[in-house]
Every structure is written in structure tokens, then in C-alpha cells.
Amino acid sequence: MATKLTTYSALPGEDSRAYRSVRVRPVSRVKRFKLGRQLRQKVSRRSLGVWQPGHNRPDPIALIERLHVGRVASLIPVRIARMVASPYGFLRGGANVMAEDLARLPSTGIAPVICGDAHLGNFGFYASPERDLVLDLNDFDEAHPGPWEWDLRRLVTSFYVAGRQSGMRDAQCDDAVMSCVAAYRQSVRLLANQPLLSRSFQRMDVELLHSTVTGKSLR
């Protein structure tokens, strides 16, 4: 039976203005937590895991062809070859296809600036201005205000697809997705209880990675 999904496009109440301007003082942390619980009643965790193609879903091939308008013609076959090489390659190159699907799914209405292409391959190490190795997203060419759920969904989907391509069993891919979501939840909970200035200077460098990650393979 088809599940009816509703998208909430705007935050209710006074807190929504603070997400659109740094000049607006946000409401208290206590009120924000209360707002979050209210939003969870409208958009349940269970609903975030439901997806099925709609009857009026645009043709994915047509969406990809639209991306090629204005591109260097000689490079388009190279791009397509990389996409058809594997399911993960298609996922990487089809960000607009996935965005079209995500736009039809429920969201809480909290819309910060998101990466827009937060798949596994866009995370890695790079050198900071201080020449420290920092682990973070390294692709912000599609950053735009949007539902935070989009980045998380694209990230965990890439975990699953990459895991299957690497020969992992479905149960192992499930575990990887659950671990990713749990780590995301823990990090957001930690950051939500910190002052804005502290959150602004959070980063994961090699030294912190060695002190916080226990798995030898990950280290």
C-alpha cells in the first residue's frame, strides 16, 4: 500500500527567522529542543526511511541530459562513461536525480546551508591554512539552503551502494548505515549543547581522529 508523504517546507514559529539571517537572535536552547520534539511528531523517524517512486517521477535520463546543456561537448562522453561503470559511479554523477527524489520526501522544515552532494566520496583529508590535515567535506560547489535530511540521506545511500559494490553483504551495509546515522545523531546532540562560537571552531584533524576513534582499521 502506498504511503502518503508530506513535505514541511518551513519551520513553524519564531525560530525560523534565525535560520535565514545571522542578525536575528535565535530562541533559547530549551525552546529549540521543544520545537524539535514538536517537529518529530509531524515527521516521524519511520517516515524518513520510506521511499518509492511516484507515478509522475521524471525520467532520470532526461534529468541527466539537462545537466549537459552548456558543458564542454567532448567531455560529456567521459562523464557518462564514469557514471555507467558502476552503481556508485551513477550515484556520484546523478546528484540532480537524487535531489528530485528527495524533494518528494518528508522533511522537518529545518533548512540550513547543505552541501547538496554529501556522498561518501566527497569526504576526505585536506590541508588547512595552518597546514594541518583536516577530515571534512571537500566539495561545496552545490551548497545551498535546503533540508538537512537531504545530505544525510545521500550520505547513507552512498554508504550502502559503495558497500554492495565492494562485495559486502546487505546486513553489513545495513550496519554501516546505522553506524553512520548514530554517529550523526551523537554529533548533532553534542553540538546542540554548545555555544555558537564553540560550534564554529569544531573540526576533525588527524590528532583528534587518533584520540577519538577506537577502531584500528579506521585509524
Side-chain angles (χ1 to χ4, degrees), residues 2 6 30 52 67-68 91 96-97 106 116 129 140 150 156 159-160 162 171 175 185 208:
T6 304
V30 172
Q52 55 187 3
L67 283 182
H68 296 158
L91 183 144
N96 66 323
V97 177
F140 288 98
W150 290 20
V156 297
F159 265 68
Y160 201 98
D175 289 343
R185 182 183 66 245
L208 184 60

Side-chain angles (χ1 to χ4, degrees), residues 84-152:
V84 301
S86 67
Y88 187 72
F90 183 87
L91 183 144
R92 292 195 65 168
N96 66 323
V97 177
M98 191 169 187
E100 179 69 35
D101 290 333
L102 295 177
R104 300 167 185 267
L105 293 177
S107 63
T108 56
I110 300 175
V113 175
I114 62 174
C115 168
D117 196 16
H119 63 76
L120 178 62
N122 273 341
F123 282 83
F125 286 100
Y126 62 91
S128 73
E130 299 82 14
R131 310 310 298 168
D132 295 328
L133 277 179
V134 179
L135 176 66
D136 208 334
L137 273 165
N138 55 25
D139 189 351
F140 288 98
D141 60 341
E142 296 174 345
H144 194 274
W148 61 269
E149 293 92 345
W150 290 20
D151 272 354
L152 183 58

Side-chain angles (χ1 to χ4, degrees), residues 2-157:
T3 302
K4 183 179 180 180
L5 301 178
T6 304
T7 298
Y8 296 89
S9 58
L11 272 173
E14 56 188 323
D15 199 41
S16 61
R17 296 190 303 274
Y19 283 91
R20 296 179 174 86
S21 173
V22 295
R23 297 183 178 182
V24 178
R25 181 181 293 276
V27 299
S28 69
R29 185 173 287 110
V30 172
K31 288 185 177 181
R32 290 206 308 275
F33 286 170
K34 181 179 179 181
L35 171 62
R37 289 189 290 269
Q38 292 173 347
L39 290 174
R40 187 58 62 209
Q41 298 302 313
K42 296 180 178 179
V43 186
S44 67
R45 294 183 181 91
R46 185 177 299 274
S47 71
L48 297 179
V50 178
W51 180 83
Q52 55 187 3
H55 66 279
N56 59 341
R57 186 189 188 210
D59 179 14
I61 303 302
L63 291 175
I64 293 172
E65 289 177 339
R66 282 169 52 186
L67 283 182
H68 296 158
V69 176
R71 292 180 182 266
V72 178
S74 61
L75 296 180
I76 293 176
V78 177
R79 184 175 189 272
I80 294 298
R82 292 176 177 176
M83 290 180 65
V84 301
S86 67
Y88 187 72
F90 183 87
L91 183 144
R92 292 195 65 168
N96 66 323
V97 177
M98 191 169 187
E100 179 69 35
D101 290 333
L102 295 177
R104 300 167 185 267
L105 293 177
S107 63
T108 56
I110 300 175
V113 175
I114 62 174
C115 168
D117 196 16
H119 63 76
L120 178 62
N122 273 341
F123 282 83
F125 286 100
Y126 62 91
S128 73
E130 299 82 14
R131 310 310 298 168
D132 295 328
L133 277 179
V134 179
L135 176 66
D136 208 334
L137 273 165
N138 55 25
D139 189 351
F140 288 98
D141 60 341
E142 296 174 345
H144 194 274
W148 61 269
E149 293 92 345
W150 290 20
D151 272 354
L152 183 58
R153 283 171 171 146
R154 185 155 173 78
L155 178 61
V156 297
T157 300

Side-chain angles (χ1 to χ4, degrees), residues 32 89 106 194 201 214:
R32 290 206 308 275
Q194 293 185 2
F201 285 92
T214 57

